[in-house]
Amino acid sequence: MDGLVYSEIIYTAKSKRFGIIGYFVIDRLINGSSYGGIRIVPDISLSELQSVARSMTYKNAFIGNRTGGAKAAVIISKENEKFRKDILIEFGKCISPFIKDGMYIPVLDMGISIEELQIIFDAAEYRCHILSWKNMSHEYTAYTCFFATMCALEKKGISIKDTTFSVQGFGNVGSTYATLMSKAGANLVALSNRYTGIINRKGFNVDQLIKERYVKGDDFILTRPTIEMVSHDSVLEEDVTVLLPSSNALTINDENWKRIKADIIVCAANAPMSYDIERLLFNNGKIIITDFIANCGGILGSRIDNYVTKDIILYIISTAYKRKIDTLLYQSIKSNMPLVDMVIDDVEKRIDTDYTCANLNGKLTDKLIYLSSSNISPIRKIAQMYMSKKCISIYEKLWS
């Protein structure tokens, strides 16, 4: 995002008991609706939330999802952690009119569990059995980031076996990405989460990190022996091949962008830097995979995972998506133009037109979507086979 971001709707959630408990931003309403996650944070600026809501608008357009972008943040300070559920209930009541009117479709974001999102929906008095969701968006986000990384490494002429990488934000997306990169042969040398950052220039055992995080939660990072500890944001400045910002917005900014050493920056977070900063880094010889391009897998997968299998979604990502990234990077290098500038005009044009190239609606499709959840196995199999072919065809066309 460049400078100030205009948002269509900005709402401050207030509670008599707790005061300001969060913010809600709709960047743009498209077809009368918007889509984006609710996150739980100890603090956040409104400008940061506006930036990530704008990224959601672009991301929806990039994957052909005809709806606007939105973001919400529930603010729960360390002192108020004991009132966590109460604050979530209050926040749900505040944003209830937007959800009930269909203006806002909330989904999971960082810091919130699926059970906590259910609390918000219940408080908003909107019937939705969220606990039945597959909750795999973080995996699909990690996969698009991974395949974008592989494309960028190829353009740089760097082998995955010679690749070191750093993950700022070792949460669900960051840890899954680290697993994919490690299995492919890359070496994780730095990572951070909300508590701190750690460095091991010989490389971490990613499988061991994942096990420790599963057992201890994010606290695992504080108990690792003989490891160099640094600040959360310091891992951004490590001398690595690939950097994955997967945390808060605008962590790469005017103060630190000149100290970024990575050859390739893959933006798993929404708006980890402004587009102006992306252009400056590009002019320094770096490849930056813009946020709404790199992390679009989460929305893509969540949009169709009720109709198709995980294997079909990964097939779409590893074929149609990967070819699109290859093409965009080739054009970026050939024209000496940052990736964001290669796509932003096309995305804006798509937003301003009644695009239907990724439309899943229609009487036949609606019927098949219903049948794909049938308890009768042969009917379900036939319906899912049709939906698989349709979804593959949609994204082959969209990203051709």
Side-chain angles (χ1 to χ4, degrees), residues 97-252:
F98 301 102
I99 298 176
K100 285 183 173 181
D101 288 347
M103 294 172 65
Y104 176 43
I105 304 168
V107 290
L108 291 166
D109 205 290
M110 64 182 190
I112 188 170
S113 68
I114 196 166
E115 292 80 11
E116 288 171 328
L117 187 59
Q118 184 71 65
I119 290 171
I120 291 175
F121 267 88
D122 291 344
E125 298 181 341
Y126 186 83
R127 185 175 295 180
C128 183
H129 188 48
I130 297 170
L131 299 180
S132 66
W133 290 3
K134 293 183 180 178
N135 192 22
M136 294 177 62
S137 63
H138 63 281
E139 285 195 43
Y140 301 132
T141 299
Y143 270 102
T144 49
C145 288
F146 170 73
F147 280 106
T149 302
M150 298 301 287
C151 292
L153 287 170
E154 183 182 341
K155 293 297 181 288
K156 283 281 190 180
I158 301 172
S159 167
I160 188 69
K161 305 293 184 184
D162 298 325
T163 297
T164 57
F165 69 104
S166 173
V167 174
Q168 185 221 24
F170 198 77
N172 290 336
V173 173
S175 60
T176 304
Y177 174 85
T179 299
L180 294 172
M181 289 287 286
S182 177
K183 286 182 177 178
N187 198 16
L188 175 65
V189 299
L191 65 124
S192 68
N193 65 17
R194 56 183 171 148
Y195 292 114
T196 190
I198 54 176
I199 296 172
N200 181 355
R201 292 184 175 85
K202 292 182 179 180
F204 288 101
N205 182 324
V206 173
D207 287 341
Q208 184 62 35
L209 292 176
I210 300 296
K211 289 177 183 177
E212 291 178 18
R213 180 173 180 264
Y214 178 78
V215 173
K216 301 178 183 178
D218 287 340
D219 290 1
F220 87 92
I221 202 168
L222 300 172
T223 59
R224 304 209 91 247
T226 61
I227 294 295
E228 181 183 349
M229 284 196 173
V230 296
S231 69
H232 172 66
D233 289 345
S234 292
V235 300
L236 295 168
E237 302 171 19
E238 279 300 299
D239 190 3
V240 292
T241 317
V242 178
L243 167 63
L244 187 88
S246 184
S247 182
N248 299 322
L250 307 178
T251 53
I252 300 176

Side-chain angles (χ1 to χ4, degrees), residues 24-30 32-38 52-61 63 65-72 98 102-109 117 121 133 137 270 295-305:
F24 166 57
V25 172
I26 293 179
D27 176 64
R28 252 177 278 194
L29 286 169
I30 298 176
S33 69
S34 64
Y35 177 103
I38 299 178
V52 295
R54 173 61 53 83
S55 293
M56 290 302 299
T57 297
Y58 289 157
K59 195 187 313 184
N60 279 313
I63 70 157
N65 191 21
R66 184 144 180 77
T67 188
K71 279 288 179 178
F98 301 102
M103 294 172 65
Y104 176 43
I105 304 168
V107 290
L108 291 166
D109 205 290
L117 187 59
F121 267 88
W133 290 3
S137 63
N270 285 325
N295 65 26
C296 69
I299 293 183
L300 168 64
S302 298
R303 184 170 182 249
I304 62 176
D305 68 357

